Amino acid sequence: MPLFEKFRENWVRPALFFGNNPISLAGGAATTASGVTMVAYWLVEIFGRPNDNPYLGIIFFLILPAIFIAGLVLIPIGIFLRRKTLQKSGQIPVAFPRIDLNDRIFRHGLDIVLVATIVNLLVVAVASYRGAAYMDSPQFCGQSCHVMHPEYSAYKVSAHSHVDCVACHIGSGAKSYFEAKVNGTKQLIEVSINRYPTPIESPVQNLRPARDICEGCHTPARFIGEKLLVKSTFADDEKNTETQSVVVLHLGGRDSLSHLTGIHGVHLGHIEYVATDSTRTSIPWVQKRNADGSDTVFASPDAGSSVPSGERRVMDCIDCHNRAAHTFVTAEDALNRSMAEGAISPELPWVHKEGLALLKASYASQDEAKSKIPRELEAFYRSQHPEVLTSNAQKVQDAADQLVTLYDENVFPSMKVTWGTHPNHIGHMNYPGCFRCHDGNHAAKNGTSITQDCAACHNLLAVDEAKPKVLADLGIQ
Ligand code: HEC
Ligand code: HEC
Ligand code: HEC
Ligand code: HEC
Ligand code: HEC
């Protein structure tokens, strides 16, 4: 017998005969449906617009292959079981039925596989499409996963609350796309087996290249020249005495002659650095590409003579705007801002001192903070200034509510995120920020150093002044 015929007689026909059972048919249908869906998806990937969602990876790299393999496994199991039953009742035929489309039994089996496949295909395809659309949304990324609670809370109140998480967190291009899939899948597994880091680590190593993300919306050509910054600070005295700082930041960018100037202009694309710690706070080595193409190296005294080992990066938006979408503030800044806006009335005696202490106290959970903060603020006024509770009860209530809100936006005991957990690199008051490099200690061979001259970055029009005259001159209250 020729090889092909032998194969058909001894393998294909018995397989089809025994395979005509519910278990094997279901297996076959599952395998074909998931297989066809995966192939269709890959074709879309290659020729169409790839979908930027990492969680699709869970469907296409975990669930569908699992169904595919489970289906494959079911087929021989069904065959084996049917063969055993038939053997027991002595019903195994001497000759297996021919493979013949006119054969009723064979056709019947084929029909079942076909119908089941189409139904499966529709179900799997619709489910994965709908699922993917849902999983693209910030609601899914931020809310269905409690681990993301801190980032989602900060995101909701940020300037970027209308930018999808995936726009920043998932790169375009095949490589970052694949990485994101693998990562998303890994993270979901970590969360489902309860083994994720608290707090979630930053910086995020596999973020989309900042310039791709940010410059999609913020064109460097349109960076404005100067930015006026007014900051209010309240003192820890009975009157909550207010002072203000007024600063004009030399933001710069690309001017009309295409020259790069100011804070934005000097760094972008020209500066490389080595960070020796995982948070990119310790930066002993910085290199600047000069206009003539030469390089100047600025090194701190502890850097040694060669390039230190560590993470080497070209500076981009995220080296300053690391908290663009998730700005956790300090307790002081949060309180000062709320008082400046009037959400916490500066008329309440000692409210700055008491509020700060309540914000910084340690609570086991947000729920505990929610019940304790209002209770203790009221207790303070009841014992020290009972007249406030009669004349200004509503303001005390509002202040307590606002303190709870500030706490909820910034402290997440369950994720071990508290005041200062995620440093912000803009500025230099609360965290090293700009002074990671601009500390006056990073020197080049020619004796110059990265400047710490206050005037290089801003004009200080007023520093902690009561009612600065300049604000009145500008017509700003
Ligand atoms: C505008 C861009 C942008 C958007 C939109 C955005 N992120 Fe982020 N995200 C970042 C950057 C940048 C970091 C890195 C922070 C750092 O290095 O300090 C980050 C960090 C994180 C981290 C790591 C922990 C941390 O706090 O640093 C998590 C988790 C996270 N983002 C989740 C989300 C979720 C969930 C959403 C949507 C609800 C989202 N992000 C939307 C830019 C963004
Ligand atoms: C999809 C568009 C989009 C992307 C992507 C985007 N932004 Fe924005 N960003 C905005 C919009 C819109 C505003 C202004 C919101 C407003 O005025 O309330 C804004 C405001 C800002 C501000 C000023 C407000 C603030 O929070 O201080 C900064 C700084 C900023 N973006 C930085 C970044 C950085 C850095 C990135 C990249 C990590 C980025 N943006 C990515 C749309 C975007
Ligand atoms: C060297 C640090 C640094 C880098 C790098 C940097 N920025 Fe900024 N940027 C600043 C500072 C400082 C401010 C003003 C801070 C403030 O508003 O409190 C600012 C302000 C902004 C604003 C707000 C302007 C406004 O009118 O309020 C936007 C938008 C912005 N940056 C976008 C970007 C983008 C996009 C990139 C990357 C292409 C980038 N920045 C890179 C330091 C930097
Ligand atoms: C990774 C290191 C690094 C960080 C972080 C950094 N810078 Fe710089 N910056 C440099 C280097 C290097 C130069 C060029 C110094 C030179 O040419 O003498 C520079 C130059 C500048 C200049 C121009 C100074 C001049 O005399 O012309 C300004 C303004 C500036 N930086 C502002 C900032 C601000 C604001 C921040 C924080 C938001 C910041 N930088 C963060 C490395 C850094
Ligand atoms: C490398 C740039 C840089 C240098 C040098 C620098 N600053 Fe600043 N400074 C900033 C930036 C950026 C901000 C704005 C931070 C923000 O957006 O909140 C700032 C804000 C301030 C503020 C506003 C108040 C506050 O609480 O944020 C004061 C005051 C200030 N700087 C004082 C100084 C003094 C004094 C010096 C000189 C010893 C100095 N700075 C040097 C970049 C710099």
Side-chain angles (χ1 to χ4, degrees):
M1 220 191 282
L3 201 64
F4 172 69
E5 228 151 87
K6 217 163 137 182
F7 176 68
R8 195 176 65 191
E9 295 303 315
N10 295 348
W11 289 98
V12 180
R13 281 207 207 168
L16 279 175
F17 176 74
F18 291 125
N20 195 355
N21 69 75
I23 300 181
S24 301
L25 289 177
T31 298
T32 18
S34 51
V36 172
T37 313
M38 285 192 288
V39 169
Y41 176 71
W42 292 331
L43 287 179
V44 172
E45 287 280 84
I46 296 169
F47 297 111
R49 194 189 81 88
N51 188 309
D52 283 351
N53 189 307
Y55 298 102
L56 272 184
I58 300 191
I59 295 171
F60 287 99
F61 291 104
L62 275 183
I63 299 179
L64 282 184
I67 297 177
F68 187 83
I69 291 166
L72 281 183
V73 172
L74 281 182
I75 297 174
I77 291 180
I79 291 180
F80 175 77
L81 290 177
R82 174 146 197 250
R83 188 158 178 256
K84 228 168 122 185
T85 352
L86 290 184
Q87 219 165 20
K88 249 194 211 152
S89 53
Q91 280 179 325
I92 294 188
V94 190
F96 291 103
R98 300 178 60 82
I99 303 174
D100 182 357
L101 282 180
N102 293 322
D103 177 355
R104 219 175 47 82
I105 299 182
F106 180 66
R107 233 177 29 224
H108 183 60
L110 214 60
D111 286 347
I112 295 181
V113 173
L114 212 72
V115 171
T117 300
I118 292 171
V119 172
N120 266 355
L121 195 63
L122 283 175
V123 170
V124 175
V126 171
S128 16
Y129 179 77
R130 296 293 301 266
Y134 170 59
M135 285 184 288
D136 241 344
S137 68
Q139 285 71 18
F140 172 80
C141 304
Q143 276 179 317
S144 46
C145 180
H146 63 285
V147 178
M148 297 290 165
H149 188 38
E151 283 71 29
Y152 186 66
S153 303
Y155 160 88
K156 262 190 328 199
V157 295
S158 84
H160 295 109
S161 57
H162 292 287
V163 183
D164 286 347
C165 318
V166 289
C168 292
H169 281 280
I170 296 166
S172 51
K175 186 165 160 281
S176 59
Y177 173 58
F178 186 75
E179 281 170 2
K181 295 250 152 98
V182 173
N183 257 306
T185 310
K186 192 182 116 227
Q187 284 158 7
L188 220 79
I189 294 171
E190 279 175 1
V191 169
S192 40
I193 59 172
N194 239 347
R195 289 193 50 175
Y196 48 85
T198 50
I200 299 187
E201 292 138 358
S202 48
V204 181
Q205 297 294 345
N206 37 33
L207 208 66
R208 235 178 121 173
R211 304 196 63 173
D212 287 2
I213 321 171
C214 318
E215 290 183 14
C217 296
H218 302 282
T219 24
R222 301 203 45 199
F223 285 156
I224 37 124
E226 306 282 323
K227 178 172 181 181
L228 183 71
L229 209 66
V230 181
K231 285 205 171 182
S232 291
T233 310
F234 295 83
D236 274 349
D237 56 9
E238 180 167 1
K239 288 215 176 80
N240 311 301
T241 305
E242 182 180 6
T243 54
Q244 286 173 312
S245 294
V246 183
V247 172
V248 177
L249 284 167
H250 306 316
L251 270 194
R254 201 180 278 279
D255 67 15
S256 51
L257 300 172
S258 280
H259 295 137
L260 294 167
T261 62
I263 297 171
H264 279 136
V266 287
H267 299 92
L268 293 171
H270 311 290
I271 290 174
E272 239 178 290
Y273 70 81
V274 172
T276 51
D277 66 336
S278 61
T279 61
R280 298 179 187 149
T281 301
S282 170
I283 301 181
W285 185 93
V286 183
Q287 176 176 286
K288 181 189 174 208
R289 171 68 40 98
N290 299 306
D292 62 5
S294 64
D295 291 325
T296 308
V297 170
F298 298 91
S300 69
D302 44 314
S305 53
S306 57
V307 182
S309 58
E311 184 193 8
R312 188 165 175 163
R313 256 175 77 81
V314 175
M315 206 172 165
D316 66 25
C317 318
I318 285 175
D319 289 296
C320 298
H321 295 285
N322 63 327
R323 306 307 307 176
H326 318 286
T327 323
F328 300 112
V329 291
T330 60
E332 288 82 353
D333 280 355
L335 184 56
N336 282 329
R337 208 179 299 165
S338 285
M339 289 180 67
E341 288 164 357
I344 293 176
S345 170
E347 287 167 30
L348 296 171
W350 298 105
V351 74
H352 185 268
K353 182 163 185 269
E354 288 307 309
L356 198 58
L358 287 174
L359 281 178
K360 284 183 160 179
S362 142
Y363 307 95
S365 65
Q366 290 193 336
D367 283 342
E368 190 182 294
K370 193 172 178 170
S371 64
K372 264 195 176 167
I373 290 177
R375 216 169 47 218
E376 306 222 334
L377 190 68
E378 202 193 308
F380 167 77
Y381 285 116
R382 193 174 302 287
S383 67
Q384 307 294 319
H385 294 275
E387 76 284 358
V388 172
L389 282 183
T390 42
S391 61
N392 263 331
Q394 187 59 41
K395 283 190 175 147
V396 174
Q397 174 73 44
D398 292 346
D401 290 348
Q402 180 67 11
L403 288 173
V404 171
T405 302
L406 296 179
Y407 186 88
D408 282 354
E409 283 171 1
N410 292 286
V411 184
F412 305 84
S414 62
M415 286 303 294
K416 300 204 176 73
V417 171
T418 184
W419 305 107
T421 299
H422 290 293
N424 190 335
H425 296 323
I426 284 278
H428 51 81
M429 295 309 233
N430 303 316
Y431 308 101
C434 311
F435 287 7
R436 287 172 300 161
C437 299
H438 289 266
D439 59 355
N441 237 336
H442 286 66
K445 288 220 168 67
N446 65 10
T448 60
S449 61
I450 305 179
T451 183
Q452 202 178 18
D453 176 7
C454 315
C457 301
H458 43 48
N459 279 351
L460 297 168
L461 300 182
V463 177
D464 288 334
E465 281 178 30
K467 298 205 191 325
K469 183 173 167 302
V470 59
L471 283 187
D473 292 346
L474 290 170
I476 299 173
Q477 286 308 307

